[in-house]
Amino acid sequence: MASPIPQLTSFSLTKPNTETTTTLLPLPHLLSFIPKCTTLKELKQIQAYTIKTHQHNNTNFITKLINFCTSKPTTASMDYAHQLFDKITLPDIVLFNSMARGYARFNDPLRAIILFSHVLCNGLLPDDYTFSSLLKVCSKVKALEEGKQLHCFALKLGVGNNMYVVPTLINMYTSCGDIDAARRVFDKIDEPCVVAYNAIIMSLARNSQPNEALALFRDLQESGLKATDVTMLVVLSSCALLGSLDLGRWMHEYVKKNGFDRYVKVNTALIDMYAKCGSLDDAFNVFRDMPKRDTQAWSAMIIAYATHGDGFQAMSMLKEMEKEKVKPDEITFLGILYACSHNGLVEEGFKYFRRMIDEYGIVPSIKHYGCMVDLLGRAGRLDEAYKFLDELPIKPTPILWRTLLSACSSHGNVEMGKQVIQRIFELDDSHGGDYVILSNLCARYGKWDDVNHLRKMMIEKGAVKIPGCSSIEVNNVVHEFFAGDGVSMISTTLHRALDELVKELKLAGYVADTSLVFHPDMEDEEKEIILRYHSEKLAITYGLLNTPPGKTIRVVKNLRVCGDCHNAAKFISLIFGRQIILRDVQRFHHFKDGKCSCGDYW
């Protein structure tokens, strides 16, 4: 430190004698020591000295101590700050706000609400900063009722539309799952600032409403307000959610025109957006042109290669990253493990998993464990995957067991599937997808009693199957199609075109895989019709009809692509000479010349 902090042993326990050689340090000098403290012990040494020299009751001094404790809160520092706060006879609201900010950043944020109730009893009225801190607390712990009460109190005091309060209100309602309330808060603002716009745009994007988020971005532009780098991060994530490459490219031009490309995080968001929109070349071009690349930028590029099935390039990027002396983090290794999983590289996956722990000291998260289960499951090593889950140092979540259930389905292991679903039901029996996966697996092997039992359970539990939905962007408009569209509707140009397309595919050797339709009393012809109108085929057909010959067709699906649609897409790419890039919930499939980038390992 620049200046030494006085030690307890340097001073007498009584008031210093002015006749001695000891020099009394004045309070302003002591205040200058506080920002230089690196530990709580050093801070306490300063306070001890002020007690000995009878300077400890100065409000400004105590405020500085509390601010230090709450800036980087720990259990010890917050307990100490609370003790200091309680010793002040008449604390003001500014001091409470400091305490509230500390608790909002801390792992026990609800203590801020408890302290607030005591403050109110002492007659202190909150200000806009108070509500901002307390609403952040409610966001963190998803305390919706307490958040609503604070909202009412803010309105009563006339600060409900304050520029500091509104964004935290929107974030609070969003974090608590009430997106409609968040939108109502925003809509009631007469002249919203860019911070409020950022909050509601982020709220919509996080709740899978990217179209609405982008519409508000257009409103922000029309209002004359200037977007910020935060705005661009959220808007780019919305483009990524939609898989809207044309719109993403327009946003990229906007980023460059307005100087946002100087921000590393914005460039990283561009990499992620291009990767999720199916353009690895554009993603790499952004990465290559970055003047500075941090861990997040490298990780985004590694994940891009992993999700597009190029595991070897992902691993090559990690070597280059380490050569550049950039330290990988947990997200980097998540991308590497994902790459190994989707390329069947079991031994390599375990090697990187051990390196992550032993070499970099990274504690595996649920997602890392999920990648390892997926790695073993995809390779057909189901017993090892089950044992791996059973021996985890943490309790496996339903998501981890679902990963194994999916592998059981892929490899046709009914008995293990039954064991796994029991483990899932012990934790969560409300997820419709679990019933569907095992039901379909049982149906594939003619176990109709099990199928009927599972479907009955699904109805009793109120579990709902998520319908398949695929989207495609044509002329800057995103069109959505749902599984079954066309089965029971009047024929349209699209459906007639799809019917003709299937005839051409059959002439080329395509055979509909009716084993994927699990209805014992249904004829194969009826099953073919159900398969024909899957959302992927509808979206691809729409792309063939409405884009020029040779143009790449890009489709986004909300679920895993089905085996029959995967096979049909290969035939379409061969017959029509089109590249088809299909993004499903797990990865990208690049279809070209009758082949898929996944090598049918998916």
Side-chain angles (χ1 to χ4, degrees):
M1 291 181 294
S3 301
I5 292 176
Q7 301 294 313
L8 282 175
T9 53
S10 302
F11 306 95
S12 169
L13 293 176
T14 60
K15 184 177 179 180
N17 187 337
T18 55
E19 295 180 356
T20 67
T21 56
T22 303
T23 303
L24 178 66
L25 294 174
L27 191 62
H29 194 60
L30 290 171
L31 291 175
S32 70
F33 282 138
I34 293 175
K36 299 171 185 176
C37 291
T38 58
T39 65
L40 187 60
K41 181 181 178 181
E42 291 175 347
L43 194 75
K44 288 182 177 180
Q45 289 173 357
I46 295 174
Q47 191 199 12
Y49 178 73
T50 61
I51 292 172
K52 294 175 191 178
T53 57
H54 300 279
Q55 302 179 79
H56 60 288
N57 288 326
N58 183 279
T59 303
N60 185 35
F61 173 67
I62 296 175
T63 301
K64 292 278 188 182
L65 293 178
I66 290 175
N67 287 340
F68 177 90
C69 292
T70 58
S71 61
K72 294 180 181 179
T74 63
T75 301
S77 72
M78 287 308 300
D79 286 345
Y80 184 56
H82 206 130
Q83 291 172 18
L84 292 169
F85 184 83
D86 286 342
K87 289 178 180 178
I88 300 174
T89 307
L90 295 171
D92 60 17
I93 199 62
V94 175
L95 201 54
F96 169 76
N97 291 344
S98 180
M99 291 293 298
R101 279 194 299 273
Y103 279 125
R105 298 168 181 154
F106 188 50
N107 57 8
D108 189 14
L110 278 178
R111 288 183 67 181
I113 303 292
I114 297 169
L115 184 60
F116 181 58
S117 64
H118 294 157
V119 165
L120 289 179
C121 291
N122 290 330
L124 275 182
L125 284 179
D127 60 14
D128 43 2
Y129 295 106
T130 312
F131 286 109
S132 296
S133 296
L134 293 176
L135 287 167
K136 286 176 184 176
V137 167
C138 294
S139 297
K140 194 169 185 178
V141 297
K142 294 179 172 48
L144 180 59
E145 288 307 312
E146 288 80 359
K148 287 180 177 178
Q149 291 172 24
L150 286 167
H151 188 183
C152 291
F153 197 10
L155 290 171
K156 183 178 179 181
L157 295 179
V159 294
N161 289 328
N162 179 276
M163 63 179 293
Y164 296 106
V165 176
V166 166
T168 50
L169 271 172
I170 292 171
N171 290 333
M172 183 276 294
Y173 280 119
T174 302
S175 299
C176 296
D178 195 342
I179 186 65
D180 291 335
R183 186 60 195 261
R184 286 195 299 272
V185 170
F186 178 81
D187 288 341
K188 287 180 180 177
I189 310 171
D190 293 329
E191 295 183 5
C193 63
V194 69
V195 179
Y197 265 109
N198 287 348
I200 191 62
I201 291 172
M202 188 178 296
S203 172
L204 293 165
R206 286 178 177 174
N207 282 270
S208 300
Q209 296 183 37
N211 283 316
E212 291 81 355
L214 292 169
L216 274 172
F217 173 66
R218 287 189 285 272
D219 287 347
L220 182 150
Q221 290 177 291
E222 292 171 2
S223 72
L225 292 171
K226 288 188 177 181
T228 67
D229 56 318
V230 175
T231 318
M232 299 319 302
L233 291 175
V234 182
V235 169
L236 289 170
S237 74
S238 296
C239 293
L241 279 171
L242 287 171
S244 178
L245 182 60
D246 290 340
L247 182 57
R249 283 178 173 154
W250 184 91
M251 289 296 179
H252 190 181
E253 290 302 315
Y254 183 90
V255 163
K256 289 189 287 188
K257 182 180 177 181
N258 291 277
F260 293 117
D261 53 346
R262 69 181 183 273
Y263 295 101
V264 175
K265 286 187 177 181
V266 173
N267 283 315
T268 303
L270 280 167
I271 294 170
D272 180 66
M273 180 275 293
Y274 276 128
K276 288 178 178 175
C277 290
S279 181
L280 263 180
D281 289 341
D282 283 319
F284 181 74
N285 288 341
V286 173
F287 177 81
R288 180 197 61 205
D289 295 339
M290 289 177 69
K292 181 182 177 183
R293 307 183 192 113
D294 61 6
T295 300
Q296 286 70 41
W298 282 93
S299 299
M301 200 63 233
I302 287 170
I303 291 171
Y305 281 119
T307 54
H308 282 265
D310 197 342
F312 293 101
Q313 186 60 41
M315 289 185 285
S316 176
M317 287 288 289
L318 176 62
K319 290 179 183 177
E320 192 178 340
M321 177 183 182
E322 291 175 314
K323 194 181 296 182
E324 293 288 330
K325 306 298 182 184
V326 180
K327 187 178 179 181
D329 63 7
E330 62 274 9
I331 303 300
T332 316
F333 279 102
L334 195 62
I336 291 295
L337 296 177
Y338 192 88
C340 293
S341 173
H342 283 266
N343 285 269
L345 305 172
V346 178
E347 301 310 318
E348 289 85 346
F350 272 93
K351 180 188 78 174
Y352 284 115
F353 185 70
R354 286 190 291 270
R355 276 194 66 198
M356 178 184 77
I357 298 169
D358 299 336
E359 190 174 331
Y360 288 99
I362 297 170
V363 178
S365 69
I366 290 293
K367 290 184 178 180
H368 294 108
Y369 289 129
C371 281
M372 300 308 291
V373 174
D374 192 48
L375 179 70
L376 291 167
R378 285 177 187 276
R381 294 159 67 164
L382 302 180
D383 290 332
E384 292 176 63
Y386 194 100
K387 184 181 178 183
F388 181 85
L389 274 176
D390 248 356
E391 295 177 352
L392 284 184
I394 60 173
K395 186 177 181 180
T397 63
I399 293 174
L400 292 179
W401 286 112
R402 284 181 189 123
T403 302
L404 182 53
L405 180 63
S406 180
C408 292
S409 176
S410 298
H411 293 282
N413 194 323
V414 178
E415 293 310 311
M416 181 170 285
K418 289 180 180 179
Q419 292 179 48
V420 171
I421 207 166
Q422 287 304 317
R423 301 296 293 267
I424 295 172
F425 286 166
E426 289 171 9
L427 302 168
D428 178 14
D429 60 3
S430 64
H431 195 272
D434 301 330
Y435 298 90
V436 173
I437 290 173
L438 187 59
S439 174
N440 290 348
L441 176 58
C442 291
R444 199 185 311 161
Y445 292 93
K447 299 181 179 293
W448 297 110
D449 287 342
D450 290 328
V451 172
N452 292 332
H453 175 66
L454 284 163
R455 289 178 178 172
K456 183 180 177 182
M457 281 182 66
M458 188 175 176
I459 293 169
E460 288 174 351
K461 297 294 181 181
V464 179
K465 178 184 177 182
I466 299 172
C469 174
S470 296
S471 62
I472 182 171
E473 181 190 25
V474 177
N475 297 325
N476 296 320
V477 178
V478 176
H479 304 268
E480 289 185 331
F481 302 91
F482 289 86
D485 284 355
V487 173
S488 58
M489 61 167 43
I490 299 172
S491 183
T492 65
T493 302
L494 176 62
H495 303 111
R496 287 195 297 270
L498 180 51
D499 294 340
E500 292 301 317
L501 173 63
V502 171
K503 289 179 184 177
E504 287 192 58
L505 298 184
K506 286 182 176 180
L507 291 174
Y510 162 76
V511 177
D513 188 359
T514 55
S515 67
L516 296 173
V517 182
F518 307 107
H519 291 281
D521 302 323
M522 190 177 286
E523 298 294 330
D524 279 353
E525 186 177 338
E526 295 175 277
K527 293 180 179 181
E528 274 195 42
I529 292 173
I530 290 174
L531 287 171
R532 183 182 308 169
Y533 294 111
H534 274 192
S535 63
E536 303 99 307
K537 294 190 185 78
L538 287 163
I540 292 171
T541 304
Y542 187 87
L544 289 171
L545 288 175
N546 294 281
T547 59
K551 185 174 177 62
T552 298
I553 294 173
R554 303 173 190 275
V555 174
V556 178
K557 187 179 180 184
N558 66 331
L559 303 174
R560 192 183 186 201
V561 62
C562 92
D564 185 71
C565 289
H566 189 270
N567 191 36
K570 289 195 290 186
F571 276 98
I572 294 170
S573 72
L574 178 65
I575 295 169
F576 292 90
R578 295 281 199 117
Q579 184 177 5
I580 300 169
I581 299 178
L582 195 157
R583 180 182 113 193
D584 70 9
V585 72
Q586 292 188 334
R587 61 168 297 156
F588 277 87
H589 299 266
H590 294 248
F591 300 96
K592 187 177 182 181
D593 300 329
K595 297 178 182 178
C596 180
S597 60
C598 72
D600 296 336
Y601 188 85
W602 56 282

